[in-house]
Amino acid sequence: MPSQADDKRQAAREVIDILHEISTLLNTNLDRTELSLCVSLIENGVNPDALAAVIKDLRKEAGASRGFATEQQQQQALPE
C-alpha cells in the first residue's frame, strides 16, 4: 500500500509532467529538472517575473559566449 509520501511524490511528478507539456507548447526549452527547480524557487518565495528575467539574461549571455567562441574558432581556422 502506497504511503502518504509516495502519494505526494507521485502528485509532484504529475504536476511537473503537466508543466513540462505546457512548457513544450510555449517553447521555453526548459527540461523537467529545470522546471522542478523553478517551481521550488517560486514555492520558496522567489518572484516569478524576476526568475524569468534571470533565465532570459543567462540564456542571452550563454548565446553571446557561444557566438564569441564560434567567432574565435572561425578566425583561428582562417589561413594567414
Side-chain angles (χ1 to χ4, degrees):
M1 184 167 162
S3 70
Q4 196 171 22
D6 290 337
D7 290 343
K8 285 184 179 183
R9 276 193 288 277
Q10 181 60 33
R13 277 191 207 100
E14 289 173 9
V15 167
I16 294 301
D17 287 344
I18 291 167
L19 288 174
H20 187 257
E21 288 181 34
I22 294 168
S23 174
T24 300
L25 291 171
L26 296 173
N27 295 319
T28 65
N29 298 316
L30 294 171
D31 63 26
R32 284 176 170 78
T33 302
E34 293 164 337
L35 283 169
S36 294
L37 291 170
C38 288
V39 168
S40 179
L41 287 168
I42 292 166
E43 285 176 341
N44 285 294
V46 171
N47 180 307
D49 293 326
L51 179 58
V54 168
I55 291 170
K56 286 180 183 179
D57 287 346
L58 289 171
R59 285 184 174 171
K60 192 183 301 181
E61 287 180 27
S65 294
R66 278 193 294 271
F68 179 74
T70 301
E71 183 178 313
Q72 283 199 323
Q73 288 171 347
Q74 289 172 347
Q75 288 177 353
Q76 289 173 354
L78 293 175
E80 295 189 33

